[in-house]
Amino acid sequence: MSPTKSNHNTQDVQPHDCAIPQSHDYTTPTLAKNPCRRYSESATHSTRCPRSPRHNSSPSAHKPLSICTHLVPDYNDIDLMSDLENWGGSEQMYIIGEEEVEAVRRVIESGQLFRYRGGEGGETDQFEHEWSETIGVRHTIAVTSGTAALICGLVGMGIGPGDEVIVPGYTFIATALAPLAVGAVPIIAEVDTSLTIDPEDIIRKITPRTKAIIPVHMVGLPSNMDAIMDIAHHYGLRVLEDACQADGGSYGGQRLGSIGDAGAFSFNHFKIITCGEGGALVTNDRDIFERALIFHDGGVAFREHVDQLRNPLFAGMNFRINEILSAILRVQLTRLDDMLEAMLREKRTIIHALEGTGPFTFNPIHDVEGDCGTTVALLFDSEERMRDFTQKVRELGVRADTPADSGRHIYANWEPILTQRGAHHPALDAFKLAPATVTYSPDMCPQTLDVLSRTAYLYTNPTRPPEELQSMIEAVEVVLRAL
Ligand SMILES: Cc1ncc(COP(=O)(O)O)c(C=O)c1O
């Protein structure tokens, strides 16, 4: 590992003078191309993202069997929770119940668990159609994970050996593993105080080998998509949005995942909607779609739809989802917009109540209306003060933590990447396939480490009664005022 602070050689490229829309603090909005408004000015999520009537059902229409949220538990449901240790601090946020059980029963009783060979037109095809409608894209491929969606997206874009893909230093390691899986090298860029990739650092990291950018909408927060798309157009790069933590969020009125060339979603256990493990790739680009479709199903040559493909077949994998998971996802999708609305409503209430009560600012948000609302991020002037805050609110029974402690989401802990062991076999290792220009070190993104170390997270809960939210806010306010 090299001690250098830069993670690759930039000698052959000069940054260009691309106009970069900056992130906006919600307290001092700038009405730019994508106006970021104050919470008090903003419309509800639903007005920015029109949904089909099918998705407008009220929360009460769905009676959850078990409500697994990521904050205060419902003690009536305690025997249904999977992780009792996590009471009051669970990372799970999904809502799941009788409808999902019924959907699984329906599939099992049908005897058709496979999406092809009789399953055509079934749960998976219908989920893909519904997800395309929700996100506002032409094509969806449901897959086995968010990682699979990212890999299929890069394959669809034709990314491969010799190419570089810029990823943020704050994301789950899968974002950086995906380029390696297709033979390309991840280049790690800084995040800024918005906790999403810093457009200025993207420009600094561009070389003639750069082929794509993967902005990540971390903890439901939209990245600065205007700036990223401007940069991508200027340099001729592809954009694969990692919306794995932002199912259903939006930016400038468009759903996340639909703005770049393609978007990847995760439906694993920790995501806004879930089927345990699952994912989806979305795109409007027919060639990306076809190549991803070919790659995700090595048996594509034997499917009914093979004759409709205009791209030549090549060797693929198996990232196919099954009918049981798709049936669960179809129910989960009916819950999505109500959850987003409830979480964003809570987030606005928390922000309005806490604003000006202590020595912190809220981390700026690139689109307060498109934010998924899962997480409230508070930025302190020092790590010491941030830790003092999180410790004291925890003592009062409120879940609070810091991204600085989320090991797997910080580039400095990505051992396989920092040590440049890119594959199980040297002949498949992207680091050995490309010119050896990349170096990594744990301290190469100091801005990222600084922002994460000063940020604290509080969490929303889409099913929390107002009086519990009020108690939580009062507890946090007491701590903030005394800091
Ligand atoms: C930002 C991000 N990208 C990618 C992934 C990978 O998703 P999966 O676990 O479904 O493969 C995750 C999952 O945690 C994630 O949070």
Side-chain angles (χ1 to χ4, degrees), residues 145-147 150 171-172 174-175 216 218 242 244-245 266 268 271 277-278 409:
S145 67
T147 307
L150 288 167
T171 177
F172 182 49
T175 315
V216 181
M218 275 304 271
D242 181 336
C244 287
Q245 296 196 7
S266 170
N268 79 20
K271 299 303 187 276
E277 293 271 21
H409 296 111

Side-chain angles (χ1 to χ4, degrees), residues 397-413:
V398 175
R399 182 185 171 205
D401 52 37
T402 169
D405 290 343
S406 69
R408 61 193 179 280
H409 296 111
I410 302 173
Y411 75 90
N413 302 315

